[in-house]
Amino acid sequence: MAMVEVLNLEKDYGKVKALRGISFSISEGEIFGLIGPNGAGKSTTLKILSTLLKPTGGSAKIDGHDVVREADKVREIISYLPEEAGAYKNLTGYEYLQFMARLYSKDDERAREMLELGVELSGLGERLHDKVSTYSKGMTRKLLIARALMVKPKLAILDEPASGLDIVNAYEIRQTIRRFARTEGVTFLLSSHNMLEVEFLCDRVAMIAGGRIVELGTPKELKDKYGAENLEEVFM
Ligand code: ATP
């Protein structure tokens, strides 16, 4: 069974047609990317799959559960990192992870394991004991990604996980995602406007523009079609 099954998804914001019938499926353990220019409909697709928005038409299932009718069940098995997410600034990074681990765990033992994993995934070392308010954008994003992954969701939905960051933090975040996907078998759906990023991370990519999927394939297939040197320009 596919982990994600999206069929003819449509979303209108008043008169704006953000999605005009999007279909794709993602297998278990796959890293799937949505790539496209600003306003293409990437965030809207991710918000519908995260149960934050209801589609105007079509359907989407995650691990067999309908995102509208079984939204509670879906929320239990996904992690969602929005594009403009922030962490509690008055906590230290460690306190933030600890708080989240307790929130998402049934018992102390599980919370401890989760926290341990979060600490490791963050890669923040001693800086975890400083307040989040002292973190750079890249450090905050690392903390949020650690939070999203430490719960070991069946599906991690990440909206532009490494965009707008310095190259070192962006590189480390991509490494963390790739390593985690391979070792834990977690399925990923992420958005990006950076072709090199999806080439590094993704097994398959859907190119989206104007609320429609215009190409779907492996990064290599897209590269062969558009030419390596043009990849970054395709949607610019
Ligand atoms: P970005 O990279 O800029 O986030 P995106 O591909 O994620 O772009 P969406 O945010 O999904 O695109 O937006 C798709 C379309 O829907 C755009 O035309 C956008 O202006 C519009 N849109 C998004 N959110 C709303 C909203 N809350 N109300 C009205 N229109 C919206």
Side-chain angles (χ1 to χ4, degrees), residues 83-85 89 132-144 160-166 169 173:
E83 201 176 349
E84 302 91 9
K89 290 197 179 315
V132 172
S133 57
T134 69
Y135 289 5
S136 67
K137 199 173 166 189
M139 290 169 69
T140 306
R141 195 76 63 84
K142 281 173 155 175
L143 186 69
L144 291 165
E160 309 228 3
S163 85
L165 306 183
D166 61 281
N169 278 314
I173 283 172

Side-chain angles (χ1 to χ4, degrees), residues 52 62 70 75 83-84 89 115 117 126 143 148 188 216 227:
L52 290 181
I62 295 177
E70 298 171 272
R75 280 183 212 119
E83 201 176 349
E84 302 91 9
K89 290 197 179 315
L115 176 60
L117 180 59
E126 283 306 306
L143 186 69
F188 279 80
L216 202 158

Side-chain angles (χ1 to χ4, degrees), residues 166-235:
D166 61 281
I167 49 170
V168 175
N169 278 314
Y171 172 80
E172 286 176 5
I173 283 172
R174 290 175 192 138
Q175 289 286 358
T176 301
I177 292 172
R178 201 157 85 157
R179 184 167 44 88
F180 194 75
R182 300 293 176 237
T183 53
E184 299 291 340
V186 168
T187 309
F188 279 80
L189 168 60
L190 54 91
S191 70
S192 176
H193 52 249
N194 182 337
M195 196 62 202
L196 296 174
E197 174 170 288
V198 297
E199 197 185 344
F200 176 75
L201 279 178
C202 298
D203 300 308
R204 281 189 311 137
V205 187
M207 285 181 170
I208 169 169
R212 288 196 175 87
I213 291 181
V214 292
E215 288 288 348
L216 202 158
T218 63
K220 178 163 184 335
E221 282 163 354
L222 302 186
K223 201 170 164 179
D224 289 348
K225 183 157 179 179
Y226 290 100
E229 69 283 5
N230 291 324
L231 285 178
E232 290 234 90
E233 290 157 28
V234 172
F235 285 107

Side-chain angles (χ1 to χ4, degrees), residues 16-158:
V16 178
K17 292 202 170 302
L19 298 181
R20 298 164 184 264
I22 284 203
S23 303
F24 62 88
S25 66
I26 309 177
S27 310
E28 205 175 333
E30 196 174 21
I31 309 184
F32 190 91
L34 286 181
I35 187 164
N38 289 340
K42 303 180 298 293
S43 297
T44 300
T45 307
L46 301 191
K47 282 180 192 159
I48 292 173
L49 290 172
S50 309
T51 78
L52 290 181
L53 278 181
K54 288 206 169 97
T56 311
S59 67
K61 283 184 178 172
I62 295 177
D63 205 24
H65 302 288
D66 187 278
V67 297
V68 177
R69 288 193 302 274
E70 298 171 272
D72 289 349
K73 182 68 198 163
V74 168
R75 280 183 212 119
E76 281 173 22
I77 58 176
I78 63 162
S79 272
Y80 168 57
L81 180 63
E83 201 176 349
E84 302 91 9
Y88 302 120
K89 290 197 179 315
N90 285 326
L91 298 182
T92 66
Y94 186 86
E95 285 165 344
Y96 174 74
L97 291 178
Q98 192 173 44
F99 173 71
M100 290 296 172
R102 286 180 183 154
L103 198 63
Y104 285 91
S105 302
K106 292 196 177 74
D107 55 59
D108 290 353
E109 176 62 21
R110 179 80 189 102
R112 262 196 302 278
E113 280 169 21
M114 218 181 250
L115 176 60
E116 203 175 303
L117 180 59
V119 166
E120 188 223 314
L121 286 170
S122 78
L124 290 170
E126 283 306 306
R127 289 300 309 270
L128 269 179
H129 299 288
D130 295 333
K131 282 199 174 170
V132 172
S133 57
T134 69
Y135 289 5
S136 67
K137 199 173 166 189
M139 290 169 69
T140 306
R141 195 76 63 84
K142 281 173 155 175
L143 186 69
L144 291 165
I145 291 202
R147 205 288 297 154
L149 301 186
M150 73 184 186
V151 301
K152 294 192 187 169
K154 284 197 169 179
L155 174 71
I157 301 176
L158 310 177

